[in-house]
Amino acid sequence: MSETQGSTESRHDGFYEIRMKGHLDARWAYWFEGMSLTRARDGTTVLYGPVTDQAALHGMLRKIRDLGLPLVSVIQKKKGTNP
């Protein structure tokens, strides 16, 4: 791989917007540490925030699967660009 351990990059892989069909109750927010949870008017729930690495992203996607909510989209965002 081309990455080095002493990289000066930030400690996370990027910011992600993860949209799922259905409204996720606010009590589930703790399950997605560091992510904001927004229930959109279109009937979707949007998780937004920093993701440490690909393993953490896949862990979040497993949690969404376990909740039974269909995944609509996963978009990597530039830091600071809110959904």
Side-chain angles (χ1 to χ4, degrees), residues 19-25 28 32 37 43-45 47 61-72:
R19 187 176 295 266
M20 61 200 90
K21 194 171 190 178
H23 280 164
L24 186 61
D25 192 86
W28 291 103
F32 301 97
L37 186 147
T44 62
T45 298
L47 292 173
L61 296 175
R62 274 193 309 275
K63 289 178 182 182
I64 292 167
R65 178 204 62 205
D66 292 348
L67 288 170
L69 296 174
L71 190 61
V72 173

Side-chain angles (χ1 to χ4, degrees), residues 2-35:
S2 61
E3 289 185 45
T4 60
Q5 292 227 342
S7 175
T8 58
E9 292 292 315
S10 60
R11 293 160 76 198
H12 57 268
D13 197 33
F15 282 70
Y16 282 83
E17 175 187 298
I18 302 170
R19 187 176 295 266
M20 61 200 90
K21 194 171 190 178
H23 280 164
L24 186 61
D25 192 86
R27 67 186 172 101
W28 291 103
Y30 77 93
W31 231 26
F32 301 97
E33 297 175 24
M35 303 288 281

Side-chain angles (χ1 to χ4, degrees), residues 39-50:
R39 290 180 293 230
R41 291 183 186 172
D42 65 357
T44 62
T45 298
V46 179
L47 292 173
Y48 175 80

